[in-house]
Amino acid sequence: MKYQLRHTTRYDYSSDVTLSHNEARLLPRDLPWQRVSDTSLVITPQPVRVRERLDFFGNRVSYFSIQELHSSLEVTLNSQITTLPRQLPPATLDLAWQNCVAQITTDTLAPVSLAEARLMMLDSDFVRSHTDLADYARQSFREDCSLVDAIQAFNRQIFEEFTYDPEHTTIATPVLDVLNSRRGVCQDFAHLAIGCLRSLGLPARYVSGYMETLPPPGQTKLQGADATHAWLAVAIPGWGWLEIDPTNGTLPDERYITLAWGRDFADVTPLKGVMNGGGKDQLSVAVDVTPLTDEHLLELF
Amino acid sequence: MYDFSQLNSEMQRRLEAYVASRQALDPKTLGFDELLQRTGRIRAHWQLVLDELSIYDREGLRSRCEEAQNLLHENGVTFNTYEDDPGKLRSWQLDSLPYVISTEEWDQLEQGLMQRSRLLEAIAEDLYGPRTLINSGLLPAELIHSFPSYLLPAVTDQPARRPMLIFHGTDLIRNAEGQWQVLCDWTQSPSGTGYALENRITLARALPGLYREAPLKRLAGFLQAQHRALASLCNSQREQPNIVLLSPGPGSPGYFEHAWLANYMNFSLVEGADLVVRDGQVSMRTLGGLRQVDVIVRQINDPWCDPLELRGDSLLGVPGLMQAARDGEVEIANALGTGILEHPALAAYLETICQRLLGESLLLDHRETLWAGDAEHLPRILAAPELWIFRDITEPAKHLRSERLSAAEQSALLNQLQKTPWRYVAQARLQAATSPVYNTRSDSFEARNINLRLFSLIEPDHLFVAPAERQYRIMPGGLAWVGEPGTLLMESHTVKDIWVMAPVPQPHISLLRQANGPIVVTRDGTDLPCRVADSLFWMGRYGERLDIRSRLLRETLGRFLQEDQSAEESGMLPDLFTALEIQSPDPLETDDPIAETDVPFKYKQLYLNYRNRLLELFEEHHADGMPWLFNHFLRNCRAVRDHLGDDAWRTVNSLRQRFNDMPRTQGIIVGQRQLEGVVTDLAAFFGLCNETMPHHYGWRFLDIGRFIERVLCTLELLKLALLSARQPGIPLWEVVLATTDNFTVYRRRYRSQLHPSAILDLLLFDETNPRSVGYMLKRLERQIQRLPQLSSSPYRNQESRLVIQATSALHLVDIDRLSDIEHSADSRAVLAQLLDQLIAPLSELTNAISHSHFSHVEAPIQLVTMQS
């Protein structure tokens, strides 16, 4: 699929900001199943210095600083993304999940990097292992169950047992609270699933990105109505990282655009900064994931 | 078996006491001794020290030791300045007996330490570069990633331009078998070089004979090399790179040393809020605007250095610092991320890593260490947990010893070891060798355990050579302290100088740093950090307030003693209490039935209440008391430690001692004496400031602070004494004159009874009297005119306008109408108006100056996006 992606983040401040240093993780990654082109990051007001680098996880980070007096900051990403179908583990891959847990600490996992897998098993800022999380996951991770089957069952388990409720959570809802209330948003479900998998001894990483949404039948799609999305990936020894989306109970496909990944949300915060002044701030975010049909493409030329 | 016959009888006695103190120790732990061989003979490298010290008899040596102690104390050498509670401040005992290392032994130790620095540097470069140690599984990923000082943002695929580890401190002991054992490494900002030098300077002054002739290696060259290394780090090739020492501030335990080093090495001492990243570069906020910084010697731990990329809740760091370092706009020593080398579990893998990275065997032994996260180590730990000391790597400073844990804590620890083994490191318990320490009281030597900290530095000329060719040099000396193996330096009571014997006498090098380049003279003083100007201003204000309050309280105590204890009237005490800004006791405070009938008893009771209120001012926790005021003064003094002369600092220490004793003040007369001392110490302090501080901006801010405080207090005092007092009159006017120290002047000039007009003339209008408002306004005006002007506006700034406003009120008042304050309501009205016209603009002066010059930066705010 081909998409035009537009993601605008705007802050309005109650008092002037004199100086700010910021880090944006808004440039989508290039991946075997995702090609990124015609990318631009427009920052208003004009920053004095912009530096792009790859972070530890391979995400594209843009550092910028703004020195002119400003009362609002707007960062807009425009990019064309072509997504391809993701590979799925072959049916022949029949690994009992407990064997995988044992394997991860001893063997090579190629093509999965052992160092990365072990990093993704450790506690992180937002996700800490807990026996309650492991217990919850065991509903799907039954004795001798195959790893891939168990992951898929677990993905559906969260989808079926949890209610999507944007009113309920804050940025840092503890994973155990999410487990107890059975409510949350995509970020909470991703953190929860990661916590459960790590508590079982399986490496899991947080993925941020976007998903194409369809308007209700018969209606046209509203501008800026799309949203950022979050899901996760689990390491399958000897095969790679399998992505799952517990918010929708599906496996991400061509409609998913990957932005960045890390241990949890803290590693992939789309925009963060430290500023002098500013007072209270008001945030608005608008995301458009527009499918480009052949006709659209023609119009562009 | 011991033979001390070549020594004189004094020394023989000391040594025999030493032997006895060793025999009193647990024989199971007894092993190697630093001073005595097994045969009972004195080790050769100690001979010289003992010979030299033999010339001192009991009194001689004791007085030399006391001299050393006084020197240290006067210089304020303390490690733990965390508490502002002066009672908890503790200086070191500096042992006059050094810790002596022979030439041969030093050569070996030096080789081992040099290798260790090279090895740690190689590890840092690998962990922040190709990460082969992790990828090959040699170092478990969990071990590295769970340590707070492993900074993911510092990992790069760019080859390192220069070593990350510029200097490095190593703690070690000699064990009971006589082997050196490394305990831990300090790789972010190793502290102690300043103390080592200060100890050496102090002992060399106290025992000049011993130190001048001894063939011992000198320390000064090492700090010179350190300066050279830091200056060469700067890649802008400027002639005078701007090197700053970034400290967490006066609240941090190492602040004394930060200030000491900054002074000695001629660096600016800055805090995070003094620095700002603009145009990608790091600059220092100074009175003259921003000044670019080339090299930062950081004393802040890794996670706190940059709230943008590292811990967002850090108020100590500088936003954007990591990016500036990444871009090569500033050099940081040691580089950000080197804290990973302080990981206590690294020791468990060091031997293998040394083989892998350097192709060498590890020369210097370290204490046996196991990491519970390692599947091979855990069973060994669990087999006998009581044999180990545990460290939790998420709280690296904490040591868990089973004998100090309750049964519940022990089982919790065992449980945690199984659940989250990666968090725990097990370190072997050690038995240390014994070494002599001089006991001044008994004039004898005692056997104690010693910890050492030794320092290494990258060879300044090797900064940019290929990694394989890099060498480190070791400071030929260091810091030794008394305590069981692993005792923290800060928790030790006694420190020692370390002597490294040289084969031949060493040339004496002045410990004053010699410049090895042209000196750039900066005379304008605009490079003073704004924060320093701010602290100097408040040091002046609090110092002056302390002075005036002390004088006023002294006078009040004097009047109190003259009161008639059973008189109905409390005389002028209520007015003096108003001046002191404390509540007078309520005359009806007692509901004792006896008091109703026994009137003299009732007043006696009231008198006691007055007394208690006054003595409360000497107590530590009284919110407006003297110690409280002093603490504010002291905090500002500390923040500008590097701008005060040594003599001025000595008076601060003398004040500190005074206030240390103050809470125990029981009686009025003792209190008076305390206050006399405070007044003269403060006069000495401000006098020394005036004599030794260059009369630049810093001094001007100090002066402005003092005179704003003085003029406001004088005005309030006049208002009280002449207008609002319950009992105006001669006794109160006398207090005013005594408080302003103008009694003698008054008598000489007016030779008459006290008269309000004469007081007004002396304290308001006479511009030649330094205690008069007229003089103070002139002085403020002159100082304010000479402050740096940032704007090119042709108009007067706010602070000048305020002073002019006050001055005109004073000049324009109709003096004739003030002539009869005692009897004329009109006179009093005119005076009241005048005083208000003076007080109002002067009260605003502080804000105006603060706004124009101190540019208070709001604490930076974090901006984080939420996700839907």
Side-chain angles (χ1 to χ4, degrees):
Chain A
M1 290 289 288
K2 195 152 191 158
Y3 294 101
Q4 179 66 44
L5 170 66
R6 182 185 165 87
H7 179 177
T8 301
T9 310
R10 185 184 166 91
Y11 280 98
D12 286 287
Y13 307 111
S14 63
S15 63
D16 284 340
V17 173
T18 52
L19 173 69
S20 74
H21 294 278
N22 308 274
E23 258 190 359
R25 281 176 175 77
L26 284 166
L27 304 176
R29 299 177 71 125
D30 257 313
L31 297 164
W33 58 91
Q34 174 170 297
R35 283 200 297 275
V36 181
S37 64
D38 300 292
T39 303
S40 70
L41 196 64
V42 182
I43 302 163
T44 321
Q46 180 81 32
V48 281
R49 181 173 274 228
V50 183
R51 290 281 184 276
E52 203 193 314
R53 67 184 173 94
L54 293 187
D55 73 7
F56 180 80
F57 303 99
N59 304 314
R60 296 165 69 184
V61 188
S62 319
Y63 160 87
F64 61 92
S65 65
I66 300 175
Q67 289 174 201
E68 68 183 78
L69 209 63
H70 60 286
S71 56
S72 69
L73 167 66
E74 192 170 290
V75 180
T76 300
L77 165 86
N78 279 296
S79 185
Q80 267 187 36
I81 316 275
T82 309
T83 56
L84 305 169
R86 287 159 163 82
Q87 296 233 321
L88 290 175
T92 51
L93 191 79
D94 186 19
L95 301 158
W97 74 268
Q98 278 120 326
N99 293 347
C100 294
V101 170
Q103 200 181 351
I104 281 158
T105 44
T106 54
D107 282 347
T108 64
L109 314 170
V112 172
S113 135
L114 181 70
E116 188 186 4
R118 289 169 78 165
L119 172 60
M120 294 300 176
M121 288 165 64
L122 292 174
D123 285 356
S124 54
D125 288 354
F126 286 139
V127 184
R128 309 208 169 263
S129 298
H130 196 276
T131 46
D132 288 357
L133 296 172
D135 290 344
Y136 178 70
R138 283 207 184 83
Q139 286 182 39
S140 297
F141 285 84
R142 284 190 295 269
E143 290 281 316
D144 302 324
C145 189
S146 113
L147 177 63
V148 177
D149 290 348
I151 291 170
Q152 298 210 42
F154 179 58
N155 192 30
R156 283 189 301 274
Q157 180 189 333
I158 295 181
F159 173 65
E160 280 156 14
E161 296 185 3
F162 283 70
T163 310
Y164 186 87
D165 182 358
E167 304 299 310
H168 185 68
T169 62
T170 62
I171 186 168
T173 310
V175 170
L176 287 175
D177 289 1
V178 177
L179 179 68
N180 292 331
S181 67
R182 295 288 202 266
R183 284 169 182 274
V185 295
C186 56
Q187 181 182 311
D188 302 314
F189 301 150
H191 280 157
L192 173 81
I194 291 168
C196 292
L197 293 164
R198 288 183 189 164
S199 303
L200 290 176
L202 291 165
R205 72 188 181 198
Y206 184 95
V207 186
S208 71
Y210 311 90
M211 197 181 102
E212 182 202 351
T213 53
L214 299 174
Q219 292 180 25
T220 49
K221 198 168 156 178
L222 296 171
Q223 282 258 312
D226 291 319
T228 54
H229 191 40
W231 58 97
L232 67 146
V234 199
I236 311 283
W239 181 78
W241 291 85
L242 175 64
E243 293 175 61
I244 57 172
D245 176 8
T247 309
N248 295 302
T250 56
L251 299 184
D253 55 19
E254 286 169 271
R255 292 174 304 145
Y256 285 71
I257 297 169
T258 304
L259 182 54
W261 64 63
R263 288 165 297 182
D264 59 29
F265 176 71
D267 285 334
V268 299
T269 311
L271 184 60
K272 63 176 179 175
V274 181
M275 60 201 178
N276 293 330
K280 288 203 169 76
D281 58 59
Q282 175 113 39
L283 166 70
S284 45
V285 178
V287 176
D288 289 297
V289 181
T290 316
L292 296 176
T293 58
D294 290 346
E295 287 152 47
H296 280 107
L297 288 175
L298 284 176
E299 274 172 33
L300 285 173
F301 289 102
Chain B
M1 74 189 264
Y2 295 100
D3 177 17
F4 305 135
S5 55
Q6 319 104 309
L7 294 160
N8 67 13
S9 59
E10 289 282 357
M11 203 39 98
Q12 284 186 22
R13 188 181 46 72
R14 290 169 189 148
L15 287 171
E16 274 149 20
Y18 181 66
V19 171
S21 79
R22 248 177 75 77
Q23 279 158 355
L25 295 171
D26 181 357
K28 281 199 300 260
T29 68
L30 217 51
F32 186 89
D33 185 75
E34 300 276 1
L35 178 65
L36 301 173
Q37 299 178 14
R38 276 192 191 285
T39 59
R41 293 172 61 88
I42 295 167
R43 293 182 195 273
H45 56 279
W46 274 93
Q47 198 65 49
L48 179 114
V49 180
L50 297 183
D51 285 346
E52 288 289 337
L53 287 177
S54 303
I55 62 169
Y56 296 105
D57 62 7
R58 187 186 189 96
E59 279 315 305
L61 194 51
R62 191 198 316 232
S63 71
R64 301 283 86 200
C65 292
E66 273 165 14
E67 168 69 7
Q69 209 52 48
N70 287 340
L71 286 170
L72 262 197
H73 184 71
E74 284 170 4
N75 288 331
V77 181
T78 54
F79 222 110
N80 57 340
T81 50
Y82 246 129
E83 297 95 356
D84 265 322
D85 175 355
K88 289 187 190 154
L89 280 169
R90 202 184 56 204
S91 331
W92 282 326
Q93 295 293 315
L94 174 56
D95 190 1
S96 45
L97 202 58
Y99 182 93
V100 189
I101 304 178
S102 71
T103 312
E104 306 74 44
E105 201 153 25
W106 177 254
D107 287 345
Q108 277 195 1
L109 196 53
E110 198 176 28
Q111 290 302 319
L113 288 165
M114 282 158 69
Q115 183 201 47
R116 196 171 174 91
S117 296
R118 277 191 296 127
L119 174 60
L120 291 186
E121 168 61 21
I123 295 174
E125 279 183 31
D126 182 79
L127 290 179
Y128 287 106
R131 295 174 24 105
T132 55
L133 294 173
I134 299 175
N135 292 331
S136 67
L138 209 158
L139 270 180
E142 301 79 27
L143 182 146
I144 298 300
H145 284 294
S146 50
F147 197 62
S149 274
Y150 186 61
L151 310 180
L152 291 185
V155 178
T156 171
D157 50 9
Q158 304 292 314
R161 280 172 295 144
R162 49 96 169 171
M164 296 179 76
L165 196 63
I166 303 299
F167 28 76
H168 166 204
T170 306
D171 285 2
L172 62 172
I173 58 144
R174 201 204 290 268
N175 67 11
E177 282 78 52
Q179 306 300 317
W180 296 109
Q181 296 256 302
V182 172
L183 301 178
C184 64
D185 296 283
W186 302 97
T187 55
Q188 303 188 65
S189 47
S191 61
T193 48
Y195 291 107
L197 216 57
E198 184 70 27
N199 289 346
R200 175 67 60 89
I201 292 170
T202 305
L203 284 179
R205 276 168 73 182
L207 295 161
L210 179 60
Y211 272 78
R212 202 178 306 117
E213 302 307 328
L216 87 154
K217 299 203 175 180
R218 310 287 175 183
L219 303 180
F222 185 82
L223 269 86
Q224 286 168 13
Q226 186 171 338
H227 193 276
R228 202 145 53 85
L230 290 167
S232 352
L233 267 182
C234 162
N235 50 8
S236 70
Q237 302 299 328
R238 286 209 282 164
E239 274 190 20
Q240 283 287 316
N242 185 13
I243 306 177
V244 301
L245 194 122
L246 175 59
S247 164
S252 79
Y255 190 73
F256 168 82
E257 191 182 29
H258 304 162
W260 196 97
L261 279 176
N263 243 338
Y264 187 81
M265 310 273 267
N266 200 13
F267 303 152
S268 301
L269 179 63
V270 299
E271 294 169 29
D274 295 333
L275 299 182
V276 61
V277 177
R278 283 186 86 92
D279 299 316
Q281 296 164 343
V282 180
S283 295
M284 185 166 102
R285 295 179 221 264
T286 71
L287 291 176
L290 293 182
R291 182 162 171 240
Q292 198 190 330
V293 170
D294 300 295
V295 179
I296 297 175
V297 184
R298 57 136 175 156
Q299 308 287 332
I300 298 180
N301 281 350
D302 280 326
W304 304 95
C305 284
D306 180 355
L308 177 65
E309 295 195 38
L310 305 172
R311 283 190 71 140
D313 54 346
S314 169
L315 295 174
L316 304 172
V318 185
L321 186 63
M322 277 211 89
Q323 186 62 36
R326 200 179 277 130
D327 289 345
E329 299 278 9
V330 71
E331 296 296 331
I332 302 175
N334 287 335
L336 296 183
T338 43
I340 184 64
L341 302 171
E342 293 175 2
H343 198 314
L346 266 186
Y349 302 88
L350 220 48
E351 180 70 59
T352 335
I353 297 175
C354 189
Q355 284 294 348
R356 171 77 64 96
L357 292 182
L358 302 183
E360 302 169 13
S361 340
L362 196 60
L363 296 176
L364 201 55
D365 210 358
H366 52 78
R367 100 154 77 180
E368 192 182 4
T369 303
L370 297 176
W371 181 52
D374 191 314
E376 289 173 23
H377 295 181
L378 187 59
R380 285 184 56 196
I381 298 171
L382 293 177
E386 70 284 355
L387 293 183
W388 303 91
I389 297 167
F390 290 95
R391 307 271 300 271
D392 177 344
I393 61 174
T394 59
E395 290 173 277
K398 220 160 110 186
H399 293 236
L400 305 165
R401 293 162 186 267
S402 53
E403 69 275 18
R404 291 184 200 163
L405 298 177
S406 68
E409 285 168 329
Q410 284 188 34
S411 72
L413 176 63
L414 282 178
N415 192 11
Q416 283 298 321
L417 273 169
Q418 319 246 21
K419 260 173 63 187
T420 48
W422 51 267
R423 269 175 60 176
Y424 295 95
V425 179
Q427 296 176 321
R429 290 163 189 268
L430 295 172
Q431 297 297 348
T434 46
S435 187
V437 171
Y438 179 66
N439 182 327
T440 26
R441 253 164 308 163
S442 61
D443 182 37
S444 60
F445 295 163
E446 283 176 357
R448 305 293 294 273
N449 296 338
I450 304 291
N451 294 263
L452 289 90
R453 183 168 301 165
L454 299 172
F455 301 94
S456 53
L457 167 76
I458 185 87
E459 275 296 338
D461 303 329
H462 287 200
L463 273 173
F464 300 106
V465 302
E469 292 161 32
R470 269 182 213 145
Q471 287 297 339
Y472 284 78
R473 72 161 73 175
I474 312 301
M475 184 184 199
L479 204 54
W481 64 98
V482 174
E484 287 183 5
T487 303
L488 294 177
L489 174 53
M490 272 178 269
E491 288 169 5
S492 173
H493 293 278
T494 309
V495 293
K496 289 166 87 78
D497 187 17
I498 297 179
W499 275 29
V500 176
M501 302 307 285
V504 289
Q506 299 284 298
H508 178 75
I509 304 175
S510 163
L511 289 168
L512 284 176
R513 201 174 58 82
Q514 287 164 352
N516 42 13
I519 290 175
V520 172
V521 180
T522 49
R523 284 250 170 92
D524 66 348
T526 49
D527 54 357
L528 191 74
C530 300
R531 180 192 46 81
V532 173
D534 189 4
S535 295
L536 284 167
F537 175 84
W538 285 102
M539 183 178 87
R541 277 204 74 166
Y542 277 112
E544 194 65 27
R545 186 175 303 178
L546 197 58
D547 177 62
I548 296 170
R549 201 49 77 79
S550 299
R551 291 163 183 275
L552 195 56
L553 184 55
R554 179 191 62 188
E555 294 310 313
T556 309
L557 295 177
R559 299 296 180 257
F560 176 81
L561 287 176
Q562 297 162 11
E563 293 280 325
D564 180 355
Q565 297 188 15
S566 49
E568 185 170 354
E569 250 326 302
S570 318
M572 53 193 293
L573 283 178
D575 286 326
L576 291 173
F577 270 53
T578 311
L580 285 166
E581 295 179 67
I582 48 174
Q583 282 269 313
S584 292
D586 186 348
L588 300 173
E589 226 165 63
T590 168
D591 49 22
D592 192 333
I594 305 171
E596 292 301 316
T597 50
D598 184 352
V599 174
F601 175 83
K602 179 171 164 185
Y603 291 113
K604 187 144 191 171
Q605 201 58 39
L606 183 62
Y607 179 84
L608 283 178
N609 287 341
Y610 270 109
R611 183 176 184 276
N612 290 342
R613 286 276 159 96
L614 286 172
L615 288 178
E616 271 172 20
L617 290 177
F618 293 100
E619 279 168 21
E620 243 169 300
H621 301 293
H622 192 283
D624 237 348
M626 304 304 288
W628 181 87
L629 262 182
F630 175 69
N631 280 338
H632 282 271
F633 170 70
L634 182 62
R635 192 169 304 147
N636 285 294
C637 289
R638 285 210 189 111
V640 298
R641 171 67 186 91
D642 57 330
H643 292 260
L644 299 177
D646 287 343
D647 290 324
W649 193 250
R650 257 189 280 282
T651 58
V652 173
N653 275 321
S654 153
L655 278 166
R656 200 161 63 168
Q657 195 56 52
R658 234 176 250 296
F659 279 91
N660 205 357
D661 301 335
M662 200 170 272
R664 287 180 287 283
T665 300
Q666 295 292 330
I668 297 291
I669 295 181
V670 180
Q672 273 180 308
R673 207 173 308 131
Q674 300 263 30
L675 296 168
E676 298 284 351
V678 171
V679 169
T680 46
D681 275 354
L682 275 171
F685 174 76
F686 283 125
L688 286 163
C689 288
N690 282 336
E691 295 297 319
T692 49
M693 284 177 77
H695 285 196
H696 284 326
Y697 298 129
W699 170 76
R700 291 190 199 287
F701 280 107
L702 165 66
D703 209 50
I704 291 170
R706 287 184 68 194
F707 280 89
I708 288 181
E709 186 66 32
R710 188 184 289 183
V711 74
L712 284 172
C713 287
T714 306
L715 289 168
E716 292 292 351
L717 208 53
L718 284 173
K719 195 171 166 181
L720 176 77
L722 298 175
L723 295 172
S724 58
R726 276 177 26 158
Q727 287 210 341
I730 291 170
L732 197 54
W733 300 336
E734 277 178 0
V735 171
V736 172
L737 288 177
T739 305
T740 53
D741 203 7
N742 265 165
F743 216 16
T744 329
V745 182
Y746 184 95
R747 268 197 303 235
R748 200 174 51 243
R749 191 181 293 181
Y750 303 100
R751 294 182 191 285
S752 66
Q753 253 213 333
L754 288 183
H755 193 277
S757 310
I759 292 178
L760 280 185
D761 180 50
L762 186 67
L763 289 183
L764 264 187
F765 300 108
D766 180 358
E767 290 185 354
T768 62
N769 176 13
R771 290 278 172 180
S772 82
V773 173
Y775 171 89
M776 293 188 252
L777 287 176
K778 255 176 100 171
R779 183 150 173 168
L780 282 171
E781 184 179 8
R782 202 178 56 223
Q783 295 288 39
I784 284 170
Q785 272 169 2
R786 298 199 164 123
L787 291 183
Q789 303 298 331
L790 284 182
S791 72
S792 50
S793 158
Y795 304 108
R796 286 200 172 82
N797 54 24
Q798 172 74 1
E799 50 274 27
S800 297
R801 287 206 306 271
L802 290 169
V803 176
I804 292 172
Q805 197 184 331
T807 311
S808 351
L810 189 66
H811 287 174
L812 296 178
V813 72
D814 184 350
I815 295 184
D816 290 340
R817 287 177 67 192
L818 288 173
S819 59
D820 193 11
I821 300 287
E822 269 180 288
H823 308 105
S824 148
D826 176 60
S827 272
R828 279 205 293 277
V830 173
L831 180 63
Q833 193 193 10
L834 172 63
L835 293 179
D836 287 341
Q837 281 174 343
L838 288 167
I839 291 172
L842 292 172
S843 308
E844 282 176 48
L845 199 50
T846 297
N847 275 342
I849 287 173
S850 171
H851 185 76
S852 306
H853 298 283
F854 306 151
S855 67
H856 280 293
V857 190
E858 292 172 80
I861 303 174
Q862 282 284 337
L863 175 73
V864 178
T865 43
M866 310 270 270
Q867 204 168 20
S868 66

